[in-house]
């Protein structure tokens, strides 16, 4: 896909939800969602059906559909961005830092919806996330990157149980929670460097 234009990627079913949400602030929530279906050439009835599908997963958006996106909360903007991607009927969504700047309760809600979309709609998600706890909890498979290089990969459950991952990314060692004072001087050496 590296030589394809963004428009060609969308036509092939690969949609990106960028870090920072990037909703059209001057458009309503519903208008933002409709922009996602622009390339599909749907009839009014088909558009209404697709909107209802998105509102099924994001009921909060249905109540806020007439609100200007720039005045909605960060969680609602993230939901709008994912909903807009769904309107394009994707095979894969590239989701970049969906938890950034959101309250933990909203993060859990969004990740649960992403899991439901994966299981019920068969949409694959490629997720880039720094919140390792959340990423491994809701993923099937994970890659750990350091300085742009894959240093470890495997089933998410295996990564979450790995002692190195626990200490360096989850802040838990065999003795319990790691103190922030000890962060600069690791007791263990990263075996993959």
């Amino acid at each position: 896909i590296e030589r394809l234009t963004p428009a060609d990627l969308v036509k092939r079913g690969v949609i990106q939800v960028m870090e920072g949400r990037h909703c059209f602030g001057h458009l309503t929530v519903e208008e933002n969602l409709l922009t996602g279906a622009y390339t599909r050439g749907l009839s009014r009835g088909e558009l209404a059906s697709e909107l209802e599908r998105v509102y099924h997963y994001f009921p909060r958006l249905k109540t806020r559909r007439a609100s200007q996106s720039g005045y909605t909360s960060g969680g609602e903007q993230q939901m709008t961005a994912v909903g807009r991607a769904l309107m394009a009927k994707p095979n894969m969504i590239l989701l970049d830092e969906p938890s950034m700047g959101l309250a933990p309760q909203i993060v859990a809600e969004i990740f649960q919806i992403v899991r439901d979309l994966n299981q019920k709609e068969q949409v694959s998600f490629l997720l880039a996330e720094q919140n390792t706890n959340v990423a491994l909890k809701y993923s099937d498979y994970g890659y750990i990157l350091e300085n742009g290089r894959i240093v470890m990969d495997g089933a998410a459950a295996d990564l979450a149980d790995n002692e190195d991952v626990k200490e360096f990314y989850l802040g838990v060692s065999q003795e319990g929670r790691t103190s922030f004072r000890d962060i600069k001087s690791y007791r263990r050496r990263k075996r993959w460097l």
Side-chain angles (χ1 to χ4, degrees):
I1 64 168
E2 63 188 37
R3 292 188 180 144
L4 296 177
T5 66
D8 290 334
L9 286 174
V10 169
K11 288 177 187 170
R12 288 193 178 193
V14 179
I15 309 295
Q16 181 180 9
V17 177
M18 295 183 284
E19 178 182 329
R21 301 174 274 282
H22 297 280
C23 291
F24 300 108
H26 63 286
L27 298 179
T28 66
V29 167
E30 191 160 290
E31 289 167 340
N32 266 278
L33 295 175
L34 291 172
T35 63
Y38 177 76
T39 60
R40 294 180 57 199
L42 301 175
S43 69
R44 286 180 190 239
E46 291 168 326
L47 278 174
S49 174
E50 290 296 310
L51 280 171
E52 284 307 313
R53 182 173 69 99
V54 170
Y55 292 146
H56 167 75
Y57 286 104
F58 301 104
R60 187 181 305 194
L61 294 183
K62 189 169 189 173
T63 61
R64 299 296 308 257
R65 67 179 170 220
S67 301
Q68 205 171 353
S69 286
Y71 294 109
T72 60
S73 71
E76 291 164 343
Q77 288 179 20
Q78 187 67 54
M79 292 175 190
T80 300
V82 174
R84 181 177 57 208
L86 279 178
M87 291 292 288
K89 199 75 169 172
N91 298 317
M92 174 178 273
I93 295 178
L94 310 175
L95 195 53
D96 191 6
E97 295 291 343
S99 71
M100 186 175 74
L102 301 180
Q105 183 178 359
I106 299 297
V107 171
E109 183 180 342
I110 288 172
F111 272 84
Q112 185 59 52
I113 292 167
V114 165
R115 177 185 274 169
D116 288 347
L117 288 167
N118 174 253
Q119 293 172 350
K120 295 175 184 172
E121 302 278 337
Q122 302 302 306
V123 176
S124 295
F125 284 85
L126 179 59
L127 170 71
E129 179 61 63
Q130 289 189 31
N131 185 336
T132 311
N133 280 319
V134 171
L136 293 177
K137 179 179 178 182
Y138 290 96
S139 298
D140 295 323
Y141 198 87
Y143 297 89
I144 295 180
L145 296 158
E146 277 212 14
N147 300 320
R149 197 174 64 127
I150 296 174
V151 294
M152 194 180 294
D153 69 294
D158 294 341
L159 290 174
D161 286 337
N162 181 293
E163 291 302 319
D164 288 329
V165 173
K166 283 181 182 178
E167 184 164 346
F168 295 113
Y169 298 103
L170 302 177
V172 178
S173 66
Q174 290 176 339
E175 295 87 35
R177 278 245 171 249
T178 303
S179 168
F180 284 109
R181 287 181 298 210
D182 300 331
I183 293 293
K184 290 185 180 177
S185 56
Y186 298 119
R187 275 183 236 111
R188 291 166 63 120
R189 178 92 179 117
K190 290 182 183 178
R191 289 177 256 218
W192 56 84
L193 294 178

